Amino acid sequence: MSPVTRILEGGCQCGHVRYRISGAPDGLVVCHCSACQRQTGSAFAMSLIVRKQDFALQQGTLKSFTRVADSGNRLEGHFCPDCGVRIFHSTAAVPDKIRVRPGTLDDRSWLKPDKQIWTRSRQPWLAAELKPLPAHEGQA
Ligand SMILES: [Zn+2]
Ligand SMILES: [Zn+2]
């Protein structure tokens, strides 16, 4: 992922929620865990690691949902109460960082993952495309 110094903006699908990220993200992770597959309804999810202090909600409110991850950490998912789009995840285990769903950014053209995790539940047809990335069978 190339370093980004510009301000990043994004929002949910219905327009209720808008946010801004003012600092350079720390990395982009592809997650193949079964919880992410279920949450996105897709093959995998991406998480853009962002410093909590760099994230600001510009418009709308978020609802949250908590689940216990395989790591034992309590994960909070924050989403638009109207359209249900997941905006970011947080955990008390990593209080200074959040994981933004980068598909909610307005400009997604620069996104390039740095690594992939939970490859043990990766869908088999994805293997070729993601092969060059460092791979971890579980959390990393
Ligand atoms: Zn919405
Ligand atoms: Zn996951």
Side-chain angles (χ1 to χ4, degrees):
M1 192 183 62
S2 31
V4 175
T5 49
R6 65 183 181 278
I7 287 175
L8 302 171
E9 291 185 310
C12 68
Q13 204 165 19
C14 76
H16 171 75
V17 171
R18 294 290 303 165
Y19 66 83
R20 187 174 285 178
I21 297 167
S22 54
D26 241 8
L28 181 58
V29 180
V30 166
C31 184
H32 302 283
C33 83
S34 54
C36 281
Q37 291 184 18
R38 189 177 294 274
Q39 187 265 309
T40 59
S42 188
F44 60 89
M46 295 199 295
S47 290
L48 185 67
I49 317 297
V50 168
R51 284 186 303 171
K52 195 174 187 176
Q53 65 193 47
D54 292 344
F55 181 93
L57 206 57
Q58 302 291 296
Q59 180 188 301
T61 49
L62 294 168
K63 271 187 90 169
S64 63
F65 160 76
T66 303
R67 71 175 184 88
V68 178
D70 291 345
S71 61
N73 292 336
R74 290 176 66 81
L75 274 184
E76 263 187 76
H78 306 268
F79 57 94
C80 172
D82 290 342
C83 69
V85 165
R86 194 67 66 91
I87 302 294
F88 71 90
H89 291 92
S90 61
T91 175
V94 189
D96 56 328
K97 300 271 173 66
I98 62 170
R99 292 170 169 249
V100 175
R101 284 287 189 242
T104 62
L105 290 167
D106 296 339
D107 179 9
R108 298 174 289 272
S109 61
W110 56 275
L111 293 170
K112 195 167 178 289
D114 301 302
K115 69 173 177 183
Q116 52 182 328
I117 60 176
W118 293 104
T119 57
R120 71 174 74 129
S121 47
R122 181 175 59 194
Q123 295 191 15
W125 57 272
L126 272 171
E129 287 297 325
L130 293 171
K131 204 169 187 179
L133 284 180
H136 306 270
E137 280 194 11
Q139 185 68 39

